[in-house]
Structures are given as C-alpha cells and as structure tokens.
Amino acid sequence: MKKLLLLLLLFPAIALGQQKYTLSGTVLEQASGESLIGVSILIPELSTGTTTNEYGFYSITVPEGTYEVTVSYLGFSDITETIDLSSNLRKDYRLEENLESLEEVVITADNDRLDVRKPQMSVNTVKVATIKSIPAVLGEADVIRSILLLPGVTNAGEAASGFNVRGGAVDQNLILLDEATIFNSSHLFGFFSVFNPDAIKDVKLYKGGIPARYGGRVSSVLEIFQKEGNSQEFKANGGIGAVTSRLLLEGPLEKDRGAFLFGGRGSYAHLFLPLFDIENRAYFYDVNTKLNYRINERNNVFLSGYFGRDLFSVNESFVNTYGNAVVNFRWNHIFSDKLFSNLSLIYSDYFYGLELDFVGFEWDSGIQNFNVKYDLKHYLNDKFQLNYGLNNIYYVFNPGKIKPNNPDSGIVEDQLIKKYANEFAAYIDVEHDITDRLSMQYGLRLSHFIRFGQDEINVYADNNPVEFDPFLLVYREAEPIETVASSRSDQLASFTNFEPRVSMAYVFDDNTSIKASYTRLAQYLHLLSNTSSPTPLDVWTPSGPFVEPQLLDQYAIGFFKNIKDGDYSLEIEGFYKDIQNRIDYIDGAELIANDAIEQVILNGEARAYGAELLFRKNEGKLTGWLAYTWSKSEQRTPPRNENEIGINSGEWYATPYDKRHDISLYANYELNDKWSFNTNFIYQTGQPTNYPIGQFEFQGLVIPYYGLRNQERLPDFHRIDVSATLKPKQKAGRKWQGEWVFSIYNLYNRRNAAAINFRRNQDTGVNEAVRTSIFGIIPAVTYNFKF
C-alpha cells in the first residue's frame, strides 16, 4: 500500500522529467465551425489517447517521436495523419460529417474502446439524433423523456414533472444548461421539457461516480450544452407540430471567428379553444440565445441565455405562471498547451406565481442565484491530468408575496420572510492511468454553506419546532416562544463538508473491464413537496437552523463489455445509496405559503439499492438498446427519543419513486434513404400510494382512515410508442430539406393510472375506486425543415 501511495505522489514528477512534447488544439465541425465534445484523439502505437473537453480543446503529452494520429468522432469521417513531435505542436482539426454512414448509433455510454479503459462509470450520453428519433407525446421531441429510457431513470408517470435517478427524488438532480442551474425542467406540468432539441448540442447524465467539479445535489447531474452557432454560413431549421412549433436561426458574426444562435419555441393549441367555447388556457414559450467570439487562438468568449414561461388559466379566475430565466457569460483562456481555463458568470431566476381572481389576490414567489465559477484543466501528460477550480453561489429565496388584485378584495399585502444563503466550493480531481490495465479518477470537493440572517426567525422551547403529542401519538406544530430579527450579515447556521470521490477501472483486454466508484455528495437546498410529482407551487428552502443538509454515500460496481468490435455492448452495474437528513413531513403538513416551514418537517434518512443492465446494438440498419433496472428505494424517520414513535411508526417505507422493475426497449430501423422507423416500449412497477383501509362515520360524515405509508401501489405502467420518418429525395441544388414524422404515442391505448381515488356511488351507496388517466392513444404528425 505504501508503494502505491508513493507511486501516486511521484508519478507526475517522474513523467515530467522525461523528454516529452505536447500535441494540443481544438476540434471543430467543418460545415458549421462548432466545437465538438468528446472527440477521440488516438495514438495507436502508444495505446494512448485523449478526448476533447466541453469546448473542443484537447491536449496530450507523449515522448518525442513520429506517430500516426487518428481523430475519430461518431458520425464523422476519421482523420489519420503522421505527426513529427519534436517540439510542442498546436494542431486544430476540422471533421466532416460522414454522409454515407447511418446517422444512428444513437446512445453512447462508455461505448468505444478508449472509454472502456476510463474509470468514469454510471454515465450516459444521449445524442441529439436519438432525442429527435424517439417517439414522444404529440410528436414533440423531448430531452427528459429520452433519458427515461436509460437504466436507473424513471418518473412519476405521464405528465409528471422532472425525473428520478436510482431511487432519488426530483430535487436531488442537478440540471445544468450551459452550466446554469435549471430549477424546473418541465413545461405544462410535465407534458414537455424546457429544452428545445434544435438548440441542444450535447446531453450527458451522471448517475454515479460523479466528478468532484459537480456538487449540490445527491442523485445525479444532467449536463446540457447549447449549440454555439454556425460561424461559416447562415442556417435555419425548425418544425411544425400538432400543438407546438419551433424555429432556430444561426449564422456568423464574423466568418470563422464568431457566431450567433437564436431559437424560439411555443405552443398554440390554446388559440383554438375559443372555437369550442372553452375559456381555459394552457401554453408555453421559450427562447434560446447564444453568441460566441474567438478573440484569438487562446481566448474565446460566450454569452448564452434561456428564457421560458408557462401559463395555465381557468376562466381567468385561476392563473398560474412559472418559468426559468438564465444568463451566462463565459471566457475560455488557454494559458499554455497544457493548461485550459474557463471563467463563468451566471445569473439564474426561477419564478412561479398564482392569481386567484375569485379570492382577489396574487401570489408571486421564486428563487434567484448569482454564480461565479472558475475551472481549470491541467494536462500534465498522457497519464496524469488535473481538474481544479472554485465555485460560489449566492441565493435569494422568496417563499411568496401576497397582494390584492383589486381594491375590494379585502386582502392585505404580505411578504413571506425571504431567505438568503451562500454556497462555496473548491475542488481538485485527478485522472490517472496507473498501469496499462488500471486507471483511476479521484478527487475531493470542499463545500461550505452559510445561511444568512433574515427579517424574522422563530425561537422555540428546547429549540424544537415540532412537538410530539404522547396521547394522540401524532406530531404537531410547536408554538414559537418569541420571534427575533437578525441582520443580513448574521450567520444563522453554517455547514462544511468534505466530499471525496473515487472511481477506478481494471481492463482485462481491449473490450472488457470492471469498474467501481465511491461518491460522497452534500445537498443544501430542498424542494418542499408532499406530492409524487412536483408542481410549480412547490417551494425551495435552504438548509439552516432546523434543516440539515442531505449527505449521500454511493457505492457502485460494474462490468463493461464490447462485443464484436463494438457492434454490441453490455453494461451491468450494481449500486447502493445511503442518504442522511432526508426531509420528511408530519401528517397533514401544509407547505404552501407557510412562513414557519420548520414546524412541519423532520430530518430522516433514505436508502436505495439495485442493479442495472444495458445491452446495445450499435451498428447496422437496426440499432437500439434494452435497459432493465431492479431497484428498491426507501426512507424512514425514526423517533428522536424514547417517548416518540417516529413517522410511520419509525419503519422503513417505500418512497413515492420506488419502482421495483423498470424495462425500456428502444429500436431504430433504417429501411432506406427515405424511410426510417422507431419504437420504444416501457414497463414499470406501479407507483407506491395510499389506499384507505377502513372508514368510520362522524356526525353523518363518512371518513376514511389509512394505515402505514405507501403500502399499496398503482397498477403497473406500460405502453408502446411508434414513429415513421419520411425524408423526401432532395432536389439537386435545392437548399431546403424537409422530413415528415408520423408518430403514435401509446399504440394500444393503455389507460395508465395517474391516480386512484375512492368515492361513494350516489346511486348504490357503495364505495368505489375511480382511475384517473392522462393519455390514451395519441397520433401526431410533425414537419421538420432546414435550409
């Protein structure tokens, strides 16, 4: 063990002492000038290589000599050339799209041989071509619905917001768009996601083995990068669908140096509702923008933004509005051929509001954050790379402001107490090839969270905001003994956590490896929601005097195999997650417009474990994958002392996102140049729920009563979706290209249960169960175009 530690410490110095030179540069797409993420730069003679980072930059240091270098990227023609490396050399590459090959080798997760050797595991990259080909509700391509076909990823059902990863809650996912945090990923309460697929360049989901540069959530990281824009010529593309349309424009600010991108998307079904005397409305729109400019070969700047809004109203008497707005300025600077840096200044705002005209008030709330990030990547040599950086986020939480919307409402304007917090992090991450067979990625993240003072804070007897009634055996809100004020500079609470990360891979041969990882993460923000699927009215709250940060320990091990030179691949992973301080709610908790939220929550614990299988066919006319997950997700809140019973009698109970079995099948068949066909099948164990176990009468009212939490389940969920794409033959010399997509969502019209409610039949007086379903069979036609 001592020898191994000594080797880890001395390896960089030994390697740097050898006569080595660095090959570095950027890799761009020939047609558009877009930088390409994840391009492989290989030197077969040395059995080594590297990949481009999020901005297309690469660097590899090898001994002096003459080598054959291969630049390879999925869907593009390879470049192979001989390089005489007798000094440091900068070499930029431009790859041309391989039009002769099929477009669809559509999902990669440690797909090529180089990735089999990398220690990174539990990661899936979904190509934009995949997202656009997967059949979706109403024909609208959707990022979130695409990742639901991956192992370990589920949601609460049709029209449900967000997604769940390895038994985790929706708020435990960090969603990043060009590095900016997105707090609500759904349009129209979950019918669509907020991501316009035309504007997306890369989608990557981390389920485990999460690198140290990420933090703040304990289940996953969904990282999405927008396209940069075409720096060669003006281009446009879009689509016209049954309920939504979209348009994307891009072109050069200055050829080969700068580009712009502007994309817009909106729904318009509400415009036809007045024809049927329907006064309700439901629509969304969003805008994606991006500017980039290359100052010189060492400096690039980017300015990107996203703005989206949703509106739902019932007869104008009930109006709900919500949406995200983000702006991000980034500066890439290359200090040397071995040191790359990125500085990001980010503003993010999530707004949610409610107007109740029949009551006479408006309610506005939201969360803002101001984020500064500085990340550096140091390519010491081909065996040893360092990632390190700093991150600071300042938060402003507005739980809600109530104001009258007419002078006769009788409502008194009131502002719920705003909360303020700051989250700082510093990290270092090492990518280390120890031997030809053993590689590691290890790092440490230090996070420090401060909850600042606010206008009012409650003080409770024994510092306990939740009381236990020993006679009724229930928890209830404690009455504050006083209320005190504090200044913004005061610190109500602070938390510091060390978050180590370790991943390793051992390679048996060029096609087979085993991997293992350990991840510790801290989460300081919590989404207050007692529904299985979050709504726009749910409120985020920071850790503080009565709310502890969530702490995760995750262990994973996996087997990875490329079959027939990568034509097929197999991945098997097992995981175990343990989470401390998971928020739980007392029975009857009121969360909306609650200025003393600490009175209805308790800190508990959660755990999840399971196994995942992903088998893929990557080549040929028929491509796709089969994913299966067996998992269990539970939580409990034990009694705080011997006089209490805890929530649910202190017993473990299934979380609302516990899905024992999850099967996903996706297939794409390219019949010829004109026709392609896609299908997917989904099966999931029914969602945990509560049914009445009995009833009693009180003053003429029939009142149901319930047993322990989540003892029952909804019926199992399953459906098949299909689509066919027609690409008419393009006329010579014509720039306009179009395609028709015909899709059927829920082919056999399965009425999957979103909920089951119980009521007494007015005619028979007998209790009956009523199933509520969202979607039946939905055919759709979409026309996509580009020029």
Side-chain angles (χ1 to χ4, degrees):
M1 185 65 182
K2 291 182 178 179
K3 291 182 178 180
L4 178 60
L5 291 174
L6 184 62
L7 177 63
L8 293 177
L9 293 172
L10 295 182
F11 185 89
I14 295 172
L16 289 172
Q18 300 173 355
Q19 189 65 30
K20 294 188 175 185
Y21 295 106
T22 300
L23 174 67
S24 64
T26 57
V27 182
L28 308 175
E29 182 182 353
Q30 176 67 42
S32 66
E34 283 262 358
S35 62
L36 296 175
I37 302 172
V39 178
S40 298
I41 295 88
L42 306 173
I43 304 179
E45 181 180 343
L46 299 177
S47 298
T48 190
T50 189
T51 57
T52 56
N53 68 4
E54 293 84 356
Y55 301 95
F57 179 79
Y58 75 93
S59 176
I60 184 169
T61 301
V62 295
E64 179 181 3
T66 301
Y67 302 104
E68 187 177 84
V69 176
T70 299
V71 182
S72 176
Y73 190 58
L74 186 68
F76 289 78
S77 299
D78 292 353
I79 295 178
T80 300
E81 66 177 1
T82 301
I83 298 292
D84 181 16
L85 206 59
S86 56
S87 62
N88 293 333
L89 176 64
R90 180 180 175 94
K91 183 72 175 179
D92 296 336
Y93 291 98
R94 289 180 177 265
L95 298 184
E96 294 185 353
E97 188 175 1
N98 187 354
L99 300 178
E100 297 179 358
S101 67
L102 297 176
E103 290 182 351
E104 304 294 339
V105 182
V106 290
I107 176 174
T108 60
D110 298 327
N111 186 37
D112 56 51
R113 290 181 177 180
L114 183 62
D115 286 339
V116 168
R117 293 182 172 273
K118 284 186 175 180
Q120 183 66 67
M121 64 182 297
S122 308
V123 178
N124 296 113
T125 300
V126 185
K127 299 299 181 183
V128 174
T130 311
I131 297 169
K132 293 184 176 181
S133 67
I134 292 174
V137 62
L138 296 171
E140 181 69 17
D142 194 284
V143 172
I144 300 299
R145 292 190 181 276
S146 300
I147 67 173
L148 293 176
L149 297 175
L150 300 173
V153 186
T154 64
N155 71 350
E158 293 170 319
S161 298
F163 57 96
N164 308 104
V165 176
R166 290 185 169 177
V170 169
D171 70 316
Q172 295 174 339
N173 303 313
L174 177 64
I175 303 175
L176 301 174
L177 179 64
D178 276 350
E179 301 185 1
T181 302
I182 300 295
F183 285 94
N184 188 329
S185 62
S186 298
H187 279 311
L188 298 182
F189 307 103
F191 281 81
F192 308 103
S193 74
V194 300
F195 307 109
N196 182 348
D198 288 342
I200 298 304
K201 175 180 178 179
D202 187 75
V203 178
K204 184 176 290 185
L205 176 68
Y206 295 86
K207 300 179 293 186
I210 298 174
R213 66 180 180 272
Y214 302 108
R217 303 292 189 275
V218 296
S219 267
S220 74
V221 177
L222 178 62
E223 185 176 46
I224 300 174
F225 283 96
Q226 296 186 114
K227 295 167 63 177
E228 296 169 3
N230 193 316
S231 64
Q232 304 299 305
E233 58 181 334
F234 176 81
K235 291 285 186 179
N237 65 279
I240 302 172
V243 295
T244 66
S245 288
R246 61 192 189 279
L247 178 66
L248 184 81
L249 307 174
E250 55 182 327
L253 295 171
E254 180 181 341
K255 190 170 183 179
D256 284 328
R257 297 198 69 173
F260 74 89
L261 178 145
F262 178 87
R265 185 175 59 148
S267 64
Y268 41 72
H270 66 286
L271 298 177
F272 304 101
L273 295 180
L275 299 177
F276 304 96
D277 294 325
I278 299 175
E279 299 182 15
N280 303 338
R281 292 186 298 160
Y283 66 85
F284 75 87
Y285 61 89
D286 53 38
V287 175
N288 299 79
T289 61
K290 196 165 187 177
L291 303 173
N292 80 84
Y293 191 78
R294 181 171 61 88
I295 301 172
N296 52 47
E297 67 176 20
R298 289 187 177 272
N299 294 278
N300 290 271
V301 291
F302 305 83
L303 180 63
S304 59
Y306 168 85
F307 180 83
R309 277 293 182 268
D310 283 72
L311 184 142
F312 174 73
S313 69
V314 179
N315 296 325
E316 298 297 336
S317 60
F318 173 92
V319 181
N320 180 211
T321 307
Y322 67 95
N324 300 277
V326 299
V327 179
N328 184 5
F329 172 79
R330 285 173 290 166
W331 170 39
N332 292 172
H333 177 66
I334 302 174
F335 286 98
S336 69
D337 51 14
K338 293 185 177 183
L339 184 58
F340 178 93
S341 70
N342 177 68
L343 173 67
S344 297
L345 306 176
I346 306 168
Y347 169 77
S348 175
D349 177 30
Y350 175 52
F351 166 85
Y352 39 107
L354 182 66
E355 181 177 353
L356 297 178
D357 191 60
F358 61 91
V359 179
F361 77 85
E362 297 177 5
W363 180 58
D364 296 332
S365 53
I367 176 174
Q368 296 174 297
N369 73 63
F370 306 86
N371 187 353
V372 179
K373 292 174 77 265
Y374 194 45
D375 304 290
L376 300 100
K377 183 156 190 174
H378 205 157
Y379 301 82
L380 293 177
N381 54 60
D382 63 319
K383 305 293 184 184
F384 199 91
Q385 301 174 12
L386 290 177
N387 298 276
Y388 47 93
L390 303 171
N391 183 201
N392 194 82
I393 309 175
Y394 179 76
Y395 297 98
V396 179
F397 300 86
N398 178 15
K401 181 177 182 178
I402 300 173
K403 57 184 178 182
N405 63 358
N406 67 73
D408 300 323
S409 66
I411 300 295
V412 178
E413 184 171 321
D414 185 34
Q415 169 69 61
L416 300 182
I417 299 171
K418 290 186 176 182
K419 302 178 177 68
Y420 307 89
N422 192 83
E423 183 176 354
F424 169 81
Y427 73 89
I428 184 168
D429 203 35
V430 179
E431 299 174 40
H432 189 176
D433 294 337
I434 299 173
T435 69
D436 290 341
R437 293 184 178 273
L438 179 64
S439 59
M440 294 184 67
Q441 182 173 349
Y442 48 92
L444 179 66
R445 182 181 182 90
L446 170 66
S447 59
H448 181 65
F449 188 85
I450 301 174
R451 174 75 176 273
F452 290 115
Q454 58 194 51
D455 293 341
E456 295 180 4
I457 186 168
N458 293 328
V459 179
Y460 300 92
D462 300 323
N463 204 33
N464 186 6
V466 181
E467 295 179 339
F468 180 73
D469 188 324
F471 300 102
L472 298 177
L473 299 180
V474 296
Y475 289 94
R476 63 186 184 189
E477 300 94 330
E479 289 293 329
I481 57 176
E482 65 174 317
T483 300
V484 297
S486 59
S487 69
R488 189 80 57 82
S489 60
D490 291 341
Q491 294 188 17
L492 300 180
S494 65
F495 308 92
T496 301
N497 284 286
F498 291 92
E499 306 172 35
R501 323 280 173 86
V502 180
S503 299
M504 62 182 67
Y506 184 83
V507 179
F508 295 99
D509 54 47
D510 287 342
N511 293 305
T512 311
S513 67
I514 57 172
K515 302 183 182 184
S517 67
Y518 165 74
T519 306
R520 184 171 179 84
L521 288 158
Q523 177 170 337
Y524 300 99
L525 307 187
H526 315 268
L527 183 64
L528 301 177
S529 174
N530 53 7
T531 61
S532 58
S533 175
T535 73
L537 299 179
D538 295 332
V539 177
W540 288 84
T541 192
S543 297
F546 307 108
V547 183
E548 297 288 328
Q550 299 178 65
L551 300 175
L552 163 86
D553 293 289
Q554 180 175 196
Y555 310 85
I557 188 169
F559 172 80
F560 301 84
K561 177 75 174 179
N562 281 325
I563 305 167
K564 289 189 176 182
D565 200 28
D567 287 357
Y568 302 86
S569 60
L570 175 67
E571 303 172 31
I572 302 173
E573 292 192 36
F575 67 90
Y576 181 86
K577 298 167 61 174
D578 180 76
I579 301 176
Q580 304 174 43
N581 303 322
R582 178 61 186 160
I583 281 182
D584 207 346
Y585 307 99
I586 67 174
D587 292 333
E590 292 290 340
L591 302 180
I592 297 177
N594 188 339
D595 226 354
I597 202 69
E598 68 275 3
Q599 296 178 348
V600 296
I601 60 177
L602 293 171
N603 292 312
E605 57 183 329
R607 66 185 182 191
Y609 50 89
E612 301 169 353
L613 180 146
L614 180 62
F615 177 76
R616 292 173 287 131
K617 185 178 185 298
N618 300 316
E619 298 288 348
K621 285 194 169 185
L622 177 65
T623 58
W625 70 85
L626 171 67
Y628 171 71
T629 306
W630 181 94
S631 64
K632 195 171 185 179
S633 175
E634 301 175 304
Q635 70 181 85
R636 72 169 178 175
T637 304
R640 297 173 295 182
N641 55 58
E642 60 184 10
N643 298 319
E644 298 181 0
I645 61 172
I647 291 179
N648 200 59
S649 298
E651 299 295 327
W652 289 99
Y653 66 93
T655 64
Y657 21 90
D658 174 53
K659 303 289 183 72
R660 196 59 44 84
H661 301 282
D662 178 20
I663 301 173
S664 300
L665 174 66
Y666 169 75
N668 167 259
Y669 182 72
E670 298 279 347
L671 179 64
N672 50 43
D673 292 339
K674 293 179 62 177
W675 285 98
S676 63
F677 301 91
N678 296 272
T679 185
N680 56 260
F681 169 73
I682 296 176
Y683 170 87
Q684 295 177 357
T685 302
Q687 180 179 317
T689 188
N690 297 292
Y691 295 152
I693 62 174
Q695 65 183 37
F696 61 91
E697 289 194 15
F698 178 74
Q699 295 182 352
L701 298 176
V702 178
I703 302 173
Y705 62 88
Y706 298 82
L708 297 177
R709 291 188 179 183
N710 291 347
Q711 293 291 299
E712 308 292 339
R713 288 184 181 270
L714 296 176
D716 292 349
F717 179 100
H718 53 85
R719 73 167 198 273
I720 291 178
D721 311 322
V722 296
S723 70
T725 302
L726 170 63
K727 298 179 181 178
K729 186 175 181 180
Q730 184 181 359
K731 295 180 180 180
R734 187 182 183 186
K735 290 187 176 181
W736 183 280
Q737 299 179 47
E739 67 176 24
W740 292 92
V741 181
F742 308 94
S743 64
I744 301 177
Y745 180 89
N746 196 359
L747 180 64
Y748 52 84
N749 198 30
R750 164 74 174 177
R751 308 298 294 186
N752 288 299
I756 291 182
N757 299 305
F758 293 84
R759 69 185 183 189
R760 173 173 288 187
N761 188 294
Q762 296 297 320
D763 297 326
T764 65
V766 177
N767 292 337
E768 60 184 9
V770 180
R771 176 191 299 222
T772 301
S773 301
I774 305 296
F775 295 128
I777 184 171
I778 302 179
V781 179
T782 302
Y783 179 72
N784 298 319
F785 61 87
K786 60 181 178 180
F787 58 89

